[in-house]
Amino acid sequence: MNDIKTMNHAADNIRILAASMVENAKSGHPGGAMGGADFINVLFSEYLVWDPEDPKWTGRDRFYLDPGHMSPMLYSTLTLQGRFSIDDIKQFRKWGSPCPGHPEVDVMHGIENSSGPLGQGHAIAAGAAVAEKFLEARLGHVMMRHHIYAYISDGGIEEEISQGVGRIAGALGLDNLIMFYDANNVQLSTTVDEVMAEDTAAKYRAWNWTVMEIDGNDVKQIREALDKALASTGHPVLIIGKTVMAKGALKADGTSYENSVKTHGAPLGDGAYVNTIKNLGGNPEKPFEIFDDVKKLYADRREELMKIVARRRAEEAEWAAQNPGKKKQMDDWFSGKAPAIDWSKIEQKPDIATRAASSTCLKLLAHEVANMICSSADLCNSDKTDGFLKETHDLVKGDFSGAFFQAGVSELTMTDMCIGMMLHGGVISAMGTFF
């Protein structure tokens, strides 16, 4: 276990890089990125499992960022992992940069989803969790035992889509989904208290989630929460972390700039920026630097990951030798290639409704595409996606052997979750509704 001093130093390094990216670009959102640095540092330096030599390894844990405006936090941490260069993050928000203002899918660089509209990122994560459960039911635990991590902000919790995600993930018992709620109580125009009076923890518990409430800037509490989350069964997990917006920031006059709405969506500003970087232990003249102990922290984690991945890959190789048919099937599913369909088996009657014709096609696909999930938002007997359903059965808590995803009345949630299934890999999703 890494010592707390080093972990706090690494979080401050992330804060310095994040604030400097925004200052350099003269645009962006520094405050949230600075407040969330402790959690993402603990997760990425001690818990997240991925293969440094093969970022697309199917067995990797997946991290989905919901608040895309907090991209400086993600880019900074990925730079500590060696997945972006200092030169890359210096080009933040510049034309042609690999670091746009809101992240875009780039698995080789560690970015699993595009994010912008609040709420959609964690819906994508929930869909990925469904995909992992679906694939585990077909391939077994050796090949599908990773975790899905989501990071959500106050705004994402407020968005209506969170109702659909919370309900569905709880109903399905997605215990492979661990979501951190960065509750810093500061938004772009107001504090959260001005617009929300709900008991978020009680709400998620009512949806069948396991909920923990912690100090989101405390390394020890973050570790304890993640350990409990990884041991949890039968429920998705929500970790509500009370964080400090713009943690460590100082104004030009040297007073605290923490918990200020002004730090949410604009650079800190000349005097405040210089004071903040100094306060965090950085050099305002050379802010784009990685501290030596932080380099070692992430280098050590890289070595540890190589050993973890080697053990996992040895187990996967043994599984492949024992299950050559399933191995070929898995390779086909993750190849991204369209499956071969014998459409000659279909006979369509003339002048029928398009949804009826679609139902006939879906019936065939249910038999010929073994990695397909079909979904409907409480309309399968009307939009005729039940052509697929009649050939399989619903995905339900504790049994993901079926292939039909009943989303209930929540078209937007269903759509984003189906996107998440595809982004996870190995699954083809389809859905039907009326607009």
Side-chain angles (χ1 to χ4, degrees):
M1 192 68 68
N2 300 299
D3 67 86
I4 300 296
K5 182 179 179 181
T6 300
M7 295 298 285
N8 288 337
H9 203 209
D12 283 344
N13 207 158
I14 292 170
R15 293 184 180 99
I16 291 168
L17 292 174
S20 299
M21 289 167 65
V22 174
E23 206 72 23
N24 190 50
K26 298 181 174 58
S27 178
H29 301 71
M34 295 172 72
D38 296 284
F39 177 81
I40 197 168
N41 176 60
V42 172
L43 179 64
F44 277 49
S45 67
E46 296 185 342
Y47 287 85
L48 193 76
V49 175
W50 63 288
D51 186 346
E53 294 187 346
D54 180 10
K56 292 188 176 182
W57 173 46
T58 56
R60 71 187 183 278
D61 289 339
R62 287 152 173 82
F63 175 83
Y64 295 89
L65 181 68
D66 190 294
H69 63 273
M70 289 177 64
S71 62
M73 176 188 73
L74 179 58
Y75 293 143
S76 297
T77 313
L78 290 171
T79 300
L80 300 186
Q81 283 189 332
R83 303 173 87 165
F84 282 104
S85 69
I86 291 295
D87 286 340
D88 287 336
I89 62 173
K90 282 182 178 179
Q91 294 303 308
F92 174 63
R93 282 181 171 255
K94 303 291 178 63
W95 183 258
S97 169
C99 301
H102 290 70
E104 299 172 6
V105 175
D106 185 354
V107 175
M108 292 302 292
H109 280 104
I111 299 171
E112 299 283 355
N113 64 300
S114 299
S115 53
L118 295 177
Q120 294 192 20
H122 84 296
I124 287 171
V130 171
E132 196 270 347
K133 290 282 189 182
F134 173 88
L135 291 167
E136 183 184 11
R138 286 149 179 79
L139 302 172
H141 186 67
V142 169
M143 303 308 291
M144 290 290 130
R145 51 175 146 168
H146 49 277
H147 290 85
I148 308 299
Y149 295 95
Y151 190 109
I152 195 169
S153 63
D154 292 303
I157 291 292
E158 290 171 24
E159 283 283 1
E160 293 88 343
I161 193 173
S162 68
Q163 156 82 22
V165 176
R167 172 181 56 78
I168 293 170
L172 290 175
L174 299 178
D175 52 13
N176 56 343
L177 175 62
I178 299 172
M179 184 162 76
F180 179 74
Y181 167 23
D182 182 352
N184 61 34
N185 198 43
V186 178
Q187 302 185 163
L188 183 62
S189 300
T190 69
T191 62
V192 174
D193 291 341
E194 295 176 63
V195 297
M196 190 166 76
E198 71 176 28
D199 184 336
T200 303
K203 181 176 71 174
Y204 275 86
R205 289 190 179 105
W207 282 331
N208 196 41
W209 288 58
T210 294
V211 181
M212 290 171 267
E213 298 179 78
I214 66 169
D215 178 342
N217 295 122
D218 185 281
V219 172
K220 183 174 182 291
Q221 291 187 40
I222 294 169
R223 285 171 172 163
E224 290 174 351
L226 285 170
D227 288 340
K228 291 177 182 176
L230 290 168
S232 178
T233 57
H235 309 268
V237 175
L238 177 68
I239 301 170
I240 301 176
K242 298 291 185 180
T243 61
V244 176
M245 184 75 161
K247 183 172 173 58
L250 297 177
K251 295 179 182 177
D253 63 4
T255 59
S256 176
Y257 208 1
E258 294 178 343
N259 295 316
S260 172
V261 170
K262 293 181 179 179
T263 67
H264 184 288
L268 297 176
D270 292 340
Y273 170 72
V274 170
N275 285 344
T276 296
I277 300 306
K278 288 180 178 178
N279 186 49
L280 293 170
N283 180 356
E285 300 300 319
K286 295 182 179 180
F288 287 99
E289 292 187 342
I290 302 175
F291 301 139
D292 288 341
D293 58 337
V294 179
K295 287 180 182 177
K296 184 177 186 305
L297 172 68
Y298 277 84
D300 288 348
R301 177 57 177 171
R302 183 184 180 91
E303 291 302 312
E304 185 179 22
L305 282 170
M306 295 303 293
K307 294 175 183 178
I308 292 171
V309 172
R311 290 194 297 269
R312 290 272 296 273
R313 284 193 178 274
E315 293 168 359
E316 290 179 358
E318 183 179 352
W319 174 89
Q322 295 172 354
N323 300 275
K326 286 186 177 181
K327 177 62 168 63
K328 182 182 184 306
Q329 193 175 46
M330 180 179 175
D331 289 345
D332 288 343
W333 291 352
F334 278 91
S335 70
K337 298 177 182 177
I341 309 296
D342 184 3
W343 296 109
S344 67
K345 296 178 182 179
I346 289 181
E347 291 185 17
Q348 298 282 16
K349 297 178 181 178
D351 303 320
I352 60 173
T354 52
R355 56 180 148 162
S358 171
S359 181
T360 302
C361 294
L362 287 172
K363 178 178 180 179
L364 176 66
L365 292 172
H367 290 281
E368 297 213 1
V369 186
N371 64 324
M372 184 171 179
I373 295 176
C374 189
S375 182
S376 185
D378 195 45
L379 289 166
C380 62
N381 55 342
S382 183
D383 61 25
K384 298 304 178 183
T385 50
D386 62 357
F388 190 98
L389 174 58
K390 290 174 182 177
E391 308 305 312
T392 180
H393 55 275
D394 294 335
L395 300 168
V396 297
K397 181 180 180 180
D399 181 7
F400 286 78
S401 62
F404 200 89
F405 171 42
Q406 294 283 12
V409 184
S410 52
E411 281 87 353
L412 179 58
T413 304
M414 172 184 70
T415 302
D416 280 319
M417 286 186 66
C418 284
I419 291 171
M421 296 174 198
M422 298 278 280
L423 285 175
H424 174 278
V427 169
I428 295 172
S429 61
M431 72 201 89
T433 189
F434 294 105
F435 285 108

